[in-house]
Each structure stands twice: as structure tokens, then as C-alpha cells.
Amino acid sequence: MTDARVRFIVDWVLRCLADHTIRGLPEYFERQFLHGLGHDDTSIGESGLLLSGAVAHGLFGNIWLHARESRAPPRADSASSGPDTSRLLSARGGKGARSRRQSMAGSRRQSNVLASPRMSSVHVSASPRMSVVNSGLLGSRKYSIAGGPLDVLRMQHVVISVSKVWCRLPPELLSARIQHMISMEPIPFVLPLRDAFEDSEHVHLVYDGLSAQAVCLTDKVFDDMHLSEEDADEHGFCEKTVQQIVWKLLKSLEQAHSRGMVHGSLRMGCCYFNDPEDLDSLQILEFGLAALFDCPTAVPPAMILSPLEADRTDPVPAYRRDFQCLAEMAFLMLGGQPICSLNSSKEELAKRFRRGAVNFSDKSYAHTTEDAKDFVVDVLRPACFRKNTKLQPCYEVSVYMSHRWFYARRDNPDQLTLLYDVIVMRKYDTWRNTLRLRCNFMKILADHMPLKSIGHLCEDLAKLSATISEEPGAVSWTMVVNHILKTCPILHLLQKVNKAFGENEEMPVINIRDTRQAIEAWRRKRVREIVWQVFNRSKAYNGEMQADACWEGFHNGVLHVWSRPLRVVDIVFPPGGEESDARQRELQAFLKSRKRVRFLELLSKTDAARPI
């Protein structure tokens, strides 16, 4: 190790220690987090991005799948009767605006490559005075208005919004890592990061766009399994398809690991295909974010079973974590079910992955080749059970890429192309529906129960479990519903998710401790997001706004409906009881006592004051 390397490590550690010391100060989030990204003003309000449209719950924050870059269109007669609009924008924005347009222009050029080959030019009549032509370029539209043509380019981007609460690194180191990810050479099948912006609450990472036809890997597997007989012969899902997907993921990890980088949180939900019929259009999201941000507790349940906590026995970066996630995905796609039961506790999951144990005895793996089974076992095998080798951990992926599963075998060549039977389809459908229903269950309780009620609910369930349940610490769905209805009459909503924990509603499979942690985290996440929605609607990106406008914003409806349309105030202070009314009056008095209010001050008056 060189002297320069030692100085770099010492400087890194000292900066992290200093940042941890001041993290609890109120002024911590009132400073600029991003520096040196090519534009002086890093505010999301100056980026021209419209965060709207389809949104997915990512591992680190919300993923805006089709965020648009909106630019004010120039007038039709601007060339002859007015000044150059672009120069005005440049003069107003200064150096930051010019560099930002250059960055977005580079993003447009890269995104053109992502356009699906099936996206042909289609003419759609928008109105008698305006027609829209969708070109083959992603997000490019040409507007023809009576009186002359007008070209307006609305670029689509994927934007991941991460709360600053989860920043793992100090702002200087965070900016340096983001800048490195922007300027580095592209990694195969990884969606490139193009820019980053911020507001008082979030860091917004701007990526290249996905096509309008893009589909998540979770949904693609489902769609291919349910193709009709005519289409299944050509595009049906089989082990050969799994092999091709896993190979592309390995190619991506090979490039990343050789540079000392890891994905850190690879899963089915972060893989998208720009063209559902073309596996080469694979795009991997959330690459490298595990090194920048801590993993929140409020994540979609069972979206990833591989433990994301750092293992001190593994090398740094966590190369093995990528392999565990890859093996989990391969096992799921081969047989339609996860490595561990979705009702397993966190301790059971950690124990299973620590041992690297996997079971192929289920009949859904009856037609899986032995080579595929050996591949999953080899990837999951812990280092203590492997032969000693001089190969560096960053090049371990080459061993898996040379596995015999990826090379032709003469014995039974048709087994790879054998379409999956109904057993695998049903198991995969059950897994996919369970994830959706459990996520909706968390959202329902987050909308209607404050933290205090959630705590009382879980304490009562724990006492009940200790007296009547065969498994202490676990309760059935029927017990949970009966106790929820005592304080929160939402039976019509709970009936929609009654299969979230299995078909048998009387079986005690709900782990009370893990479920409580998840519900409380989702409650804090929900309250924090809708309180910020009040500031975001008023374009108060610095986290400060007029107090009277803030009170009006609390009586507006929420933008993202989780369970049913509700007002912001009805979620922050769920109706029912004198305590809720008293807290509303307290908040109203607080806002009337001042002219302006800050986001963190307002958040401290809710039950989302603690971390998510």
C-alpha cells in the first residue's frame, strides 16, 4: 500500500467521523450537498425536470420512471420579432444553465441508443390546430401548429429521489462519488447516470430514459409464462431464457468488479427491458447506490431476501453480496419460488444465506438441468466452504462465467428450451401477488394508523401470541384484522389484501417484530413524503414557505394515493378520537404564530420526526 493510498484512507475516515459528529445539528440539512457537478445551482427547481408520471418504490427511494425535461417553447414569430430565447435563458442561468443544457444534450444523445426498434413514427391528431408526431427517438416530439412548425424536445429520464436522511457519506465525498459515476466509462446493461440535483429533502439522481414500452423483469417473466400457445413457441419462458438473463448480469458484474465497484442491491425489481422481446435491451437501475446511501427500513416487503448488511468476513467492496443476489434471482426464475419462505424472519434469512443452503427438492425443479442447480449452489457457497485460491475477489466472477451451465452439452439438449409447466407458473404468480399484496397492506396501515396506535396493536398481538399461539412471536391474519378493527374501521380495505400472508388466514405466520418494524417505517416514510409534498407544490425547494400557504396545503389531497384518496391532514393526523383533533389544533396554532415555517420544524410536530 502506497503513502498516497494511506493518506486517502485517513482523509476519508476523518471526513466521515466529522460528518457523523455534526449530523444531529439542525443546520445539517440546510447546506448544499452536491458540488462540482458542472453546474453551480444544484436545485431541482433549476433543472427543468418534471417529477411526475409513473413511480416505483425502489430500495433507496422513489423511482420516477418517466420524468420529463420541460423547456418553455419559443414563440412561432420569435425569429423575426423577438430576441433569441436560448440566449435569454443562458443569460439568466449563467454558467450553471449552460453546463446543465450541455449535460442534458449529452443525455439526449445517449438516450437515443435506448430507443426501442419497434418504436416507429406514428401521427396522432391532438387538436384541429395542433398535431403531434412521435419520432423514433425516445421522448422526442414534433409539434406542428397552425402558422408554422414548432419543435419541442421533451426528454424523458429515470430519476431516483433519495432522502438525505440516508446519505452514508459526507457531502464532499458524496459529490465526488456521484461525479465519478457520471464520468466513468459505461458498464454493459447498466443505465448511465447523467446528472444530479437536490432540494432540502432529497438528492435526485438523473439517469438516461427508458422507452415507453419498458417492462420490469418481474413483469416480463410473468408475461412470458402466460403467453398463448402460438406465441409461447417463439417467446415462451424457459431455462434458456434464464440462462441468457443471468449471463448478461454476469457480464455487467464482470466489468463493475474489475473496477472495484459493486451493485450492492441487485434484485428483480431493478432490472428493466426497453424492448420486452429483446433481452439485449436490459437496463439495470440503482447501480452503486448501496455505497452512497444506507438501506431504509421502509422497502417493499420481500423484494430482496439477500441480507444487505455488511459482513465483516467478506472483502470490501461486497462482491459476495452481488453473487448472493444473483443466485436468488436465478433460483426464483428457475422454479418460480424464492430461496426462503416469504414468512421467514430476518434471523432465518441471514442464517440461510450465511450457510449458502439451497433446496431443489420441490417438484417445480423437476425439469431443471443439473448444471443450473450446480451453478446456483456454487454461487451461493460461502468462502469458508470453497477451495483456497489466489484469485482476487474482484475477478471471482470469471469463475462463474466459465461454469458448464453456459456451454452446450450433448446430453438432452432440448431440456433448456422446454417451456415451464403450470406448477412453476402458479408458484411464480403466488410470489408476485404476495409481494404486491404485502406492499398494499403496509400502505393501508401507513395511511390510517399513527405510530402510537401501531405500537399498541403490536403489543396486544404479542401478548395474545404468547398465550394462544403455537409459535410465540407469530400471529395469524385473522388475529391481526380483529385487533386493527378495534381502533380503525377499514375492513373494506383489508379485505383486498387478505391473501397477503397465505391462503390459510388462521395459520400464525406473521412475525410480529419484523412486521412492526416494517409498518412503523412505512408510516414515517408516508408522513415525511406528504409533508414535503406541501412544500414541493409551492416550489419551496429550500424547505421554507409561508405558514398560511402551508396550512392550506395540508387540506389538499395527496398526489400519490396509497389506499384511497385522502387529504394530507387526514393522513398526518388520522381522524378518530380527541387526541387527533387536539394535535390538529396544536399544529394550526403553531402555524398561526409565525409567518414562515421550515420543513424540519413542521416535521417535528408529526410522528415522522424520527428516521424512516
Side-chain angles (χ1 to χ4, degrees):
M1 182 177 290
T2 62
D3 294 342
R5 184 65 176 173
V6 173
R7 287 194 296 269
F8 173 80
I9 295 175
V10 172
D11 178 72
W12 182 287
V13 173
L14 291 178
R15 286 178 181 271
C16 292
L17 290 176
D19 183 79
H20 179 74
T21 304
I22 65 174
R23 195 175 183 87
L25 299 178
E27 299 82 8
Y28 181 82
F29 295 101
E30 296 180 358
R31 54 179 174 162
Q32 184 175 342
F33 268 55
L34 302 179
H35 306 274
L37 298 181
H39 43 87
D40 299 331
D41 194 346
T42 60
S43 172
I44 187 65
E46 299 296 326
S47 66
L49 289 171
L50 300 178
L51 300 184
S52 60
V55 60
H57 295 291
L59 197 62
F60 301 94
N62 292 333
I63 303 177
W64 305 88
L65 296 175
H66 301 292
R68 292 184 179 274
E69 178 193 351
S70 176
R71 296 299 181 196
R75 295 183 179 180
D77 57 348
S78 60
S80 58
S81 61
D84 188 354
T85 307
S86 62
R87 293 183 180 179
L88 285 177
L89 291 174
S90 177
R92 293 174 184 174
K95 178 181 178 181
R98 288 194 298 270
S99 59
R100 184 159 56 252
R101 283 195 298 275
Q102 293 172 359
S103 175
M104 291 301 183
S107 177
R108 293 189 188 102
R109 290 192 295 270
Q110 293 291 336
S111 297
N112 293 344
V113 181
L114 299 179
S116 170
R118 298 189 303 170
M119 296 177 64
S120 57
S121 299
V122 180
H123 182 275
V124 182
S125 178
S127 68
R129 294 175 53 85
M130 177 181 292
S131 61
V132 183
V133 179
N134 289 339
S135 71
L137 301 182
L138 179 61
S140 176
R141 296 185 178 183
K142 293 184 178 180
Y143 291 79
S144 298
I145 300 181
L150 174 62
D151 292 344
V152 178
L153 185 62
R154 290 188 175 181
M155 194 50 225
Q156 287 186 350
H157 297 275
V158 173
V159 178
I160 301 181
S161 301
V162 187
S163 176
K164 291 182 178 179
V165 174
W166 301 112
C167 288
R168 174 176 289 183
L169 303 177
E172 298 80 6
L173 300 180
L174 177 68
S175 300
R177 292 295 294 268
I178 292 177
Q179 178 61 36
H180 172 70
M181 294 172 64
I182 294 174
S183 59
M184 70 179 184
E185 293 184 6
I187 297 177
F189 307 111
V190 171
L191 193 67
L193 177 64
R194 294 304 175 193
D195 212 335
F197 298 92
E198 64 179 323
D199 53 39
S200 180
E201 169 65 5
H202 302 94
V203 172
H204 304 278
L205 303 174
V206 184
Y207 295 81
D208 275 352
L210 294 174
S211 71
Q213 300 170 331
V215 61
C216 181
L217 176 58
T218 304
D219 298 326
K220 174 179 170 52
V221 175
F222 175 83
D223 294 339
D224 289 354
M225 285 184 177
H226 292 78
L227 288 175
S228 60
E229 294 183 1
E230 295 79 7
D231 297 332
D233 294 337
E234 183 178 358
H235 302 289
F237 202 80
C238 58
E239 185 178 321
K240 183 69 174 179
T241 308
V242 179
Q243 184 188 74
Q244 294 173 350
I245 294 174
V246 172
W247 177 260
K248 297 181 188 306
L249 294 175
L250 285 173
K251 289 290 292 183
S252 177
L253 295 181
E254 179 188 28
Q255 288 284 338
H257 289 189
S258 64
R259 305 180 194 178
M261 305 179 67
V262 297
H263 187 287
S265 56
L266 193 62
R267 57 188 177 87
M268 298 282 289
C270 71
C271 298
Y272 283 78
F273 292 90
N274 276 312
D275 184 358
E277 298 180 3
D278 183 11
L279 296 182
D280 289 332
S281 65
L282 172 66
Q283 295 293 314
I284 304 173
L285 279 61
E286 299 179 330
F287 177 84
L289 299 191
L292 306 181
F293 307 99
D294 290 322
C295 183
T297 311
V299 297
M303 68 185 308
I304 181 171
L305 301 181
S306 302
L308 298 180
E309 294 78 11
D311 190 345
R312 297 180 180 179
T313 62
D314 289 340
V316 178
Y319 302 109
R320 173 165 164 74
R321 185 187 299 173
D322 281 349
F323 298 139
Q324 287 179 329
C325 296
L326 179 66
E328 178 185 342
M329 295 172 61
F331 187 88
L332 174 64
M333 289 187 288
L334 287 171
Q337 58 184 353
I339 291 180
C340 305
S341 170
L342 296 182
N343 297 322
S344 303
S345 64
K346 293 182 179 179
E347 291 78 7
E348 293 172 346
L349 293 176
K351 184 177 180 180
R352 173 67 69 88
F353 280 93
R354 193 183 306 116
R355 292 181 176 180
V358 62
N359 186 4
F360 287 99
S361 61
D362 193 275
K363 57 184 178 181
S364 61
Y365 297 95
H367 300 290
T368 304
T369 62
E370 294 300 323
D371 291 341
K373 298 177 183 178
D374 291 341
F375 173 80
V376 175
V377 172
D378 290 344
V379 174
L380 273 180
R381 183 178 291 115
C384 58
F385 298 142
R386 299 178 186 173
K387 296 180 180 179
N388 293 330
T389 177
K390 296 182 179 180
L391 187 66
Q392 296 182 9
C394 60
Y395 298 114
E396 187 178 346
V397 64
S398 60
V399 176
Y400 303 127
M401 295 184 70
S402 61
H403 196 275
R404 60 181 180 272
W405 183 40
F406 298 106
Y407 299 93
R409 300 287 299 275
R410 294 183 179 180
D411 51 331
N412 198 6
D414 296 333
Q415 192 172 0
L416 282 176
T417 58
L418 183 65
L419 297 180
Y420 284 175
D421 56 17
V422 68
I423 298 177
V424 181
M425 293 170 54
R426 288 177 177 174
K427 287 185 176 295
Y428 187 83
D429 293 354
T430 301
W431 171 82
R432 180 172 173 268
N433 289 331
T434 300
L435 262 62
R436 178 179 57 85
L437 294 177
R438 290 193 182 185
C439 186
N440 291 340
F441 172 66
M442 299 295 172
K443 291 181 177 181
I444 291 172
L445 295 189
D447 267 357
H448 296 87
M449 297 187 70
L451 286 181
K452 186 176 181 179
S453 299
I454 295 173
H456 292 331
L457 169 67
C458 294
E459 290 173 1
D460 294 341
L461 290 174
K463 295 178 182 178
L464 181 64
S465 173
T467 56
I468 65 175
S469 178
E470 298 179 358
E471 299 183 12
V475 291
S476 66
W477 172 257
T478 303
M479 297 178 187
V480 173
V481 172
N482 291 336
H483 279 71
I484 291 176
L485 295 180
K486 292 180 181 179
T487 57
C488 192
I490 52 173
L491 179 61
H492 61 293
L493 296 176
L494 296 176
Q495 288 176 341
K496 299 179 181 179
V497 294
N498 60 346
K499 304 300 181 184
F501 296 91
E503 295 291 335
N504 190 348
E505 299 180 8
E506 302 294 336
M507 183 176 296
V509 295
I510 304 177
N511 187 284
I512 299 176
R513 184 181 60 180
D514 294 346
T515 304
R516 176 177 182 174
Q517 293 177 355
I519 297 175
E520 290 179 344
W522 277 87
R523 169 64 184 175
R524 297 190 186 101
K525 171 184 172 69
R526 179 59 163 170
V527 173
R528 195 177 187 102
E529 287 184 355
I530 61 176
V531 172
W532 176 252
Q533 171 192 306
V534 176
F535 288 79
N536 187 66
R537 274 181 166 175
S538 300
K539 295 181 172 54
Y541 303 117
N542 62 346
E544 184 177 355
M545 64 180 299
Q546 294 288 340
D548 53 351
C550 180
W551 179 246
E552 293 178 2
F554 262 71
H555 290 79
N556 292 331
V558 295
L559 292 177
H560 297 106
V561 177
W562 278 15
S563 58
R564 57 179 176 175
L566 294 169
R567 298 182 304 171
V568 174
V569 67
D570 294 332
I571 296 179
V572 177
F573 306 114
E578 298 180 356
E579 182 178 358
S580 176
D581 298 336
R583 297 192 66 182
Q584 287 193 39
R585 291 192 296 268
E586 180 183 353
L587 176 64
Q588 186 176 10
F590 169 76
L591 294 176
K592 286 184 177 180
S593 64
R594 55 188 63 206
K595 294 183 178 180
R596 301 185 66 83
V597 62
R598 302 192 66 83
F599 170 70
L600 293 180
E601 290 179 337
L602 190 62
L603 197 66
S604 64
K605 305 297 180 181
T606 68
D607 55 2
R610 290 180 292 172
I612 304 174

